Amino acid sequence: MKQIGYHHFYTCMDGPMAKPGACKRSSVMALFYFDCDIKDLFPYINSDASDAQLFDNPDLIRFTFKSKNCVLYPDKCIATPFEDRDDAKKFRHQLMAYLNDLLFRRDTIPPKYKVFKKAPVTQIIKLLPKTNCKVCGFESCIAFAAMVSIQKISPSKCPYLSVPVQEQVTYPILDENGKQTSTVTLTIDSERTLRDQQDTPLNKTISNDDCQDSFGLSKREIEVLSLVGQGHTNPQISNILHISPHTVKSHIVNLFNKIGVSDRTQAAVWAVRHKII
């Protein structure tokens, strides 16, 4: 597995703090380029990093690492603030070590494909009662709207919101290597989904034959799903079933698409619910 490298490392003074006498402490921004396209690593960073936000237009991911603000594009990294160039160099080595560690561990990390979409606060305010009732836990409707805008809280925390006229979920379509190739967006009725889940008797055991008939899972896919639900990694599943890691990954992609989940955690919940484990 080839490691990610970098080239063309730059630092510059950032903003008004760079002006002489503006502040005793300088703010330095760092920029460096990767020697390969790292876009395929973004879903794993999105799952693992602190306060990660994944964007698709343009392709980039924002997150916090070692108390620094990072923006990664497929070909470069921009990070700030630093005390000086030496501080930025130290961070560069730490970030590269982190990215290569993720690259090494990605078979054990459930990728998160959720894209960050910031809604205008002014539009969210129109949905709220504007009474500053504090039932949501915030001092004002504006404060609540601001947190909804950046996806830090669910709109459902406001008891006065009307029922949505339409709800959608987007699922990733993955290739045999686990890379997202496209997406499918479905319109759903979350209240009906919740009722269906509540009406499903959890004490009913669904046999392997039922899974094959209802969901099109092969016996091998059921075996793989059971091991995924037990927390085994792809290499461990490969050793247990005596099949290649590539075959394991292919089975996981296929069964994820069949049962309608996008990560290992959701698959484990599904397996428990259907008494596979």
Side-chain angles (χ1 to χ4, degrees):
M1 183 182 298
K2 180 183 177 182
Q3 287 199 329
I4 304 168
Y6 67 89
H7 61 89
H8 291 86
F9 176 69
Y10 304 97
T11 55
C12 63
M13 305 300 285
D14 182 20
M17 296 177 73
K19 296 179 181 179
C23 183
K24 293 181 179 179
R25 184 177 178 184
S26 296
S27 179
V28 173
M29 181 174 68
L31 164 67
F32 56 91
Y33 291 83
F34 302 115
D35 63 1
C36 60
D37 189 315
I38 69 163
K39 180 182 175 181
D40 291 340
L41 201 57
F42 285 3
Y44 301 94
I45 300 173
N46 197 30
S47 175
D48 186 79
S50 175
D51 298 324
Q53 297 175 347
L54 180 65
F55 297 81
D56 59 2
N57 188 25
D59 291 319
L60 65 90
I61 184 165
R62 300 177 184 271
F63 60 100
T64 303
F65 182 73
K66 301 293 183 181
S67 301
K68 310 300 181 184
N69 301 315
C70 302
V71 180
L72 266 58
Y73 294 86
D75 64 334
K76 62 179 177 286
C77 168
I78 301 174
T80 192
F82 301 103
E83 294 283 350
D84 49 35
R85 185 176 176 85
D86 288 338
D87 187 28
K89 283 183 178 180
K90 179 181 177 181
F91 172 83
R92 178 194 62 195
H93 290 302
Q94 293 172 330
L95 179 64
M96 294 304 303
Y98 170 70
L99 295 179
N100 280 300
D101 179 62
L102 279 184
L103 183 65
F104 179 77
R105 295 188 295 112
R106 61 179 175 177
D107 282 343
T108 67
I109 302 172
K112 182 179 178 182
Y113 295 95
K114 182 181 179 182
V115 175
F116 180 80
K117 300 289 186 181
K118 184 176 180 180
V121 175
T122 53
Q123 293 298 312
I124 298 172
I125 283 290
K126 294 178 181 179
L127 305 174
L128 306 179
K130 295 182 280 294
T131 59
N132 300 330
C133 64
K134 301 182 179 63
V135 174
C136 62
F138 291 86
E139 290 297 315
S140 67
C141 289
I142 292 179
F144 176 76
M147 296 303 288
V148 171
S149 173
I150 58 175
Q151 300 183 14
K152 292 296 184 181
I153 193 170
S154 169
S156 62
K157 291 294 183 179
C158 175
Y160 302 106
L161 276 178
S162 58
V163 177
V165 296
Q166 180 174 290
E167 299 173 272
Q168 293 181 325
V169 291
T170 301
Y171 296 96
I173 296 178
L174 310 176
D175 64 15
E176 61 181 11
N177 296 315
K179 296 180 181 178
Q180 180 179 330
T181 57
S182 59
T183 60
V184 173
T185 300
L186 305 175
T187 300
I188 64 167
D189 181 344
S190 60
E191 291 186 357
R192 179 178 180 181
T193 301
L194 181 59
R195 289 196 302 271
D196 290 345
Q197 292 174 348
Q198 292 173 339
D199 291 341
T200 301
L202 296 180
N203 57 354
K204 177 184 176 183
T205 299
I206 297 181
S207 68
N208 286 359
D209 290 337
D210 291 334
C211 284
Q212 293 177 61
D213 293 340
S214 301
F215 303 97
L217 295 179
S218 68
K219 290 184 178 179
R220 179 63 85 188
E221 287 169 344
I222 293 172
E223 291 175 336
V224 172
L225 176 58
S226 176
L227 293 171
V228 168
Q230 296 172 44
H232 292 288
T233 64
N234 284 14
Q236 290 172 335
I237 296 174
S238 174
N239 291 331
I240 293 171
L241 298 180
H242 305 291
I243 56 179
S244 71
H246 178 78
T247 301
V248 173
K249 185 176 291 187
S250 179
H251 283 315
I252 289 177
V253 170
N254 289 335
L255 70 88
F256 276 19
N257 285 331
K258 288 179 181 180
I259 67 177
V261 301
S262 59
D263 60 48
R264 298 172 90 94
T265 301
Q266 293 176 2
V269 171
W270 192 95
V272 170
R273 180 177 296 149
H274 292 85
K275 296 296 182 179
I276 292 178
I277 55 174

